[in-house]
Amino acid sequence: MNATSTGALLLCRADPETVRPLAHLLREQMLLTRAGGEWSVLVPEGKPWRGTGPGGGDPEPVDRVLGGWATALAVGSTWPVLALWWDGDRAGYTLAAGFRRTVGYIWLADGTPVGEDEAMRTFAARLGLDPVLDLQALEELTRPDPEADAEARLRGLLAVLTRTGLTLPPGLGPGESADRLRSVAGAQRGAERIEWAGWRDAVRVELDAVEAGSLGPWVRGPRARAIAAAQLAAGLPLLLLGVRRRSGGWAAAGAVLLAQGALGLAYHRAREAAERS
């Protein structure tokens, strides 16, 4: 590797449709494309690690930038996020999963391992890898090997992950420059650009994802409207019954049903108005 080959990838163990809403919330321009049956990959279009850090200090290292992005994505999801990064001096990964502590490993440019062996065991466990064969292959990456540089170490890591369904397109891998990664990702079939367009559009994208999922029929559509109407119809008599009998329990139940029904109908109308605008 050399100083011009700085690059980064965010691998998400979910399909692009699932990743898209959260990716918008990173407020960064990225390219999103599929990376196998169960994986997606996000490729940064910019190079934030070349800018100044907080307070106008030195540029933030690429591993710190990628680690922050991976953590932000993982906290808001149920799937793990693996950040791969490399520059002229080092290469490594950061795995984020929910609210658990991130785990990572680093190799120097010549392939010298400088991480902790425990990180590989945690990595294998969190991704559900084979505790014998896969872990053995991962532990090989932590042992000295004069013929394996940092780029080769990352390729070895990706080779293990192919058993989970990960398939990166040719040219989208360790050692490539950020510009090359962006070009390759943009040429993939179905690739889409992720960019921040304000909170209103971000919320709209999130709602679109919910409606397109398994909960969609219960959130919007004829079934959702019928449920909202039924809640209103049941809530009003319960509320009146509770008031008449001075029963706080019945009154509360009626109020909750009325609120849920009203919110359901209001949501449906708001979404229709937003689509017309």
Side-chain angles (χ1 to χ4, degrees), residues 127-217:
L127 288 178
L129 301 177
D130 188 289
V132 179
L133 296 179
D134 290 340
L135 182 56
Q136 182 179 358
L138 291 173
E139 288 179 337
E140 286 291 331
L141 301 175
T142 68
R143 301 187 180 110
D145 184 350
E147 298 183 359
D149 61 9
E151 180 182 337
R153 301 289 198 175
L154 285 182
R155 286 201 303 267
L157 184 81
L158 291 172
V160 174
L161 293 180
T162 58
R163 300 170 194 171
T164 68
L166 175 67
T167 305
L168 283 173
L172 206 64
E176 301 288 353
S177 67
D179 292 334
R180 169 66 174 165
L181 295 174
R182 183 176 64 248
S183 176
V184 171
Q188 300 305 307
R189 183 178 181 181
E192 57 183 301
R193 178 169 280 101
I194 302 295
E195 56 186 344
W196 177 252
W199 284 108
R200 180 178 179 181
D201 286 342
V203 171
R204 181 179 296 181
V205 170
E206 179 72 29
L207 293 176
D208 286 341
V210 172
E211 291 176 5
S214 59
L215 295 177

Side-chain angles (χ1 to χ4, degrees), residues 44-105:
E45 285 201 275
K47 303 170 186 175
W49 46 85
R50 290 189 176 179
T52 56
D58 295 332
E60 285 195 86
V62 62
D63 58 323
R64 188 178 303 170
V65 174
L66 266 289
W69 287 347
T71 300
L73 286 172
V75 166
S77 67
T78 58
W79 27 268
V81 181
L82 176 63
L84 299 182
W85 53 269
W86 53 92
D87 58 24
D89 300 318
R90 306 173 304 155
Y93 73 78
T94 300
L95 177 66
F99 287 93
R100 289 180 287 186
R101 181 178 62 86
T102 60
V103 60
Y105 201 91

